[in-house]
């Protein structure tokens, strides 16, 4: 306590006794204390006082109690008058052990036995002062505790204190809420392992050391009614004189985990069909290749392109097209096993990984199943739509390549199937690779050939066998490529149609013969 006035209410019947007590207090008071004493002659008068606001301590002389009264009863009346009533010090003529115990149980600050030599007056001041100081520090401690609890409860994170026996010795309201407890008292005394799922470390000290190295980390807490909750956990250590306390703060990251999972889903899955997208498919294909190489079981990759889908999109709009893709995805799922991997890798392009097959016939059986499934008309918003699929196949023999290479080979096989007509499937072979390389070269070269005049015309005369005279000539278009030599029209004219330059090619073949004839 700092310099203060100790306000005392003295209840005593005899004026001389009251004066003796007053003098004893004032005489023994240390220099930093001053006693402000109010005295009354009867308990009834004291009970009418607003003691909590006016005094710090009540000194009750038992002689002030009438003959029918009892010290314990009066103490009870004084203490029940209001919560937080000042300390009561009883002065009694004599007491038995039983009465002394009863007085202490009544939570008086203390009692003194009045002896004939008045020796009790020598200790009265000390008892009053020490009792007031004790109460002062108790109130300060209680106030500090209330403030600390208020601060802890205002924190958005759960906070618990763990003692050296690894038991909870304090917690805040947020910790109760996260862990599913209704009262803080339910947490007190619980073991550390009853709250925190210990998957990485053997002891609390291990966690403290780990946090010092890496900072906060993700873990799980165990809720009261069972089940685990993901949390971000951090801890620090308070080293007190007698013991060490570990402060653990944790926050519920369920929403963050859900958002992270959604981001992963958006990054790895096609939002329209809920199938894997190309990025995830390449990763899964690499894993499947590794498994096939280790186990040597038969493996196949299918690349599907939906025949006629462009016409559906152009004729009915993208909404119908999207719903059709969703229906196609469902039918593909019905044609495969639960562990087979299906992905949408382009607008109307799907891929399927088939593992643990017996031989090539199993692949063809799946392809036939897909053909049969897609053969049934789709009904989309009342519109009947018929489509088919061209399927390219890569098998076990090609698994020593990268995922990107296998996907490219399957794409080549799919285009080879598409050239045969609607709804065919084709297994990749090396000739397809050479043919595809040639097509790529020719697609790029035909435009350049028109611009750089690499095309030429061969004239074929038309002879009248009757008179053996040339009556006309036929102009035949030819292309001489630096790599493949003279290329027949049957190869490059379909390419010109495919890439949309057939009109430019037709104009060139009209102009060239006219120019030759003119010259």
């Amino acid at each position: 306590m700092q310099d203060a006035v100790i306000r005392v209410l003295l209840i005593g019947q005899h004026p001389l006794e009251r004066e003796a007590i007053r003098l004893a207090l004032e005489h023994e008071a240390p220099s930093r204390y001053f006693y402000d004493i109010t005295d009354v002659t009867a308990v009834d008068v004291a009970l009418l006082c607003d003691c909590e606001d006016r005094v710090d301590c009540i000194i009750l002389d038992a002689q002030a109690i009438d003959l029918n009264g009892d010290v314990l009863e009066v103490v009870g009346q004084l203490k029940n008058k209001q919560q937080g009533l000042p300390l009561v010090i009883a002065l009694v003529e004599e007491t038995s052990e039983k009465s002394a115990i009863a007085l202490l149980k009544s939570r008086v600050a203390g009692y003194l036995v009045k002896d004939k030599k008045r020796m009790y007056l020598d200790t009265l001041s000390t008892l009053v002062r020490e009792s007031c100081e004790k109460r002062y520090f108790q109130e300060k401690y209680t106030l500090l505790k209330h403030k600390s609890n208020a601060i802890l409860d205002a924190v958005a994170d759960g906070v618990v204190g763990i003692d050296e026996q690894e038991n909870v010795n304090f917690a805040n309201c947020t910790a109760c809420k996260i862990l599913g407890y209704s009262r803080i008292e339910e947490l007190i005394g619980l073991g550390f392992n009853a709250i925190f799922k210990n998957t990485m470390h053997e002891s609390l000290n291990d966690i403290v050391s780990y946090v010092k190295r890496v900072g906060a980390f993700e873990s799980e807490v165990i809720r009261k009614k069972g089940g685990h909750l993901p949390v971000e956990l951090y801890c620090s250590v308070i080293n007190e004189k007698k013991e060490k306390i570990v402060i653990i703060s944790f926050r519920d990251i369920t929403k963050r985990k859900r958002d992270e999972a959604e981001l992963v889903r958006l990054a790895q899955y096609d939002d329209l069909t809920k199938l894997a997208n190309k990025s995830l498919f390449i990763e899964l294909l690499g894993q499947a290749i590794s498994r096939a190489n280790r186990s040597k079981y038969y493996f196949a990759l299918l690349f599907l392109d939906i025949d006629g889908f462009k016409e559906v999109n152009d004729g009915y709009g993208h909404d119908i097209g999207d719903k059709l893709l969703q229906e196609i995805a469902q039918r593909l799922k019905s044609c495969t096993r639960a562990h087979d991997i299906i992905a949408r890798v382009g607008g109307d392009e799907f891929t399927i990984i088939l593992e643990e097959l017996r031989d090539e016939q199993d692949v063809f059986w799946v392809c036939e199943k897909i053909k049969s499934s897609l053969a049934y008309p789709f009904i989309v918003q009342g519109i009947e739509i018929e489509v088919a699929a061209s399927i390219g196949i890569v098998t076990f023999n090609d698994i020593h390549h990268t995922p990107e290479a296998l996907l490219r080979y399957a794409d080549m096989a799919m285009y080879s199937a598409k050239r045969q007509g609607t709804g065919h499937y084709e297994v990749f072979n090396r000739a397809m690779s050479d043919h595809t390389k040639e097509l790529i070269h020719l697609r790029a070269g035909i435009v350049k050939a028109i611009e750089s005049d690499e095309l030429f015309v061969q004239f074929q005369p038309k002879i009248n066998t009757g008179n053996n005279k040339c009556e006309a000539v036929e102009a035949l278009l030819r292309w001489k490529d630096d790599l493949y030599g003279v290329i027949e029209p049957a190869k490059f004219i379909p390419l010109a149609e495919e890439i949309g330059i057939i009109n430019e090619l037709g104009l060139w073949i009209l102009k060239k013969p006219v120019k030759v004839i003119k010259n």
Side-chain angles (χ1 to χ4, degrees), residues 168 176 187 196 198 226 309 325 387 405 426 433 452 469 484 504:
V168 176
C176 284
L187 284 172
F196 297 97
N198 200 344
F309 181 76
L325 289 174
V387 295
E426 190 76 31
S433 179
S452 60
K469 290 183 179 181
Y484 291 100
E504 288 83 349

Side-chain angles (χ1 to χ4, degrees), residues 171-188:
N172 69 347
C173 291
T174 308
C176 284
K177 183 178 179 181
I178 292 174
L179 296 169
Y181 291 85
S182 56
R183 296 182 299 112
I184 291 176
E185 289 75 18
E186 294 181 81
L187 284 172
I188 305 303

Side-chain angles (χ1 to χ4, degrees), residues 63-197:
Q63 290 181 338
I65 304 171
D66 61 47
L67 295 175
N68 297 321
D70 178 80
V71 174
L72 292 175
E73 182 182 347
V74 172
V75 168
Q77 289 176 337
L78 288 170
K79 295 189 74 65
N80 291 331
K81 182 174 183 287
Q82 283 184 326
Q83 288 186 348
L85 193 71
L87 300 163
V88 178
I89 295 175
L91 304 177
V92 295
E93 296 291 335
E94 58 183 15
T95 185
S96 63
E97 182 179 354
K98 183 178 180 180
S99 298
I101 293 173
L103 276 170
L104 293 174
K105 282 186 175 180
S106 69
R107 294 185 298 175
V108 297
Y111 71 93
L112 290 173
V113 178
K114 295 169 61 177
D115 58 289
K116 293 181 180 179
K117 295 183 179 181
R118 294 188 173 181
M119 297 294 291
Y120 75 92
L121 294 174
D122 297 334
T123 57
L124 179 59
S125 178
T126 301
L127 179 59
V128 172
R129 186 178 68 253
E130 289 180 351
S131 298
C132 288
E133 287 179 342
K134 182 179 179 181
R135 180 184 177 183
Y136 172 80
F137 287 115
Q138 284 177 337
E139 289 175 346
K140 284 290 185 183
Y141 171 77
T142 301
L143 180 61
L144 181 61
K145 188 176 180 180
H146 286 327
K147 287 182 178 179
S148 300
N149 289 340
I151 292 171
L152 282 175
D153 291 339
V155 175
D157 295 349
V159 180
V160 296
I162 309 294
D163 60 24
E164 289 184 316
Q165 288 72 45
E166 296 196 0
N167 295 322
V168 176
N169 61 5
F170 72 83
N172 69 347
C173 291
T174 308
C176 284
K177 183 178 179 181
I178 292 174
L179 296 169
Y181 291 85
S182 56
R183 296 182 299 112
I184 291 176
E185 289 75 18
E186 294 181 81
L187 284 172
I188 305 303
L190 289 180
F192 168 78
N193 288 323
I195 298 175
F196 297 97
K197 186 180 178 184

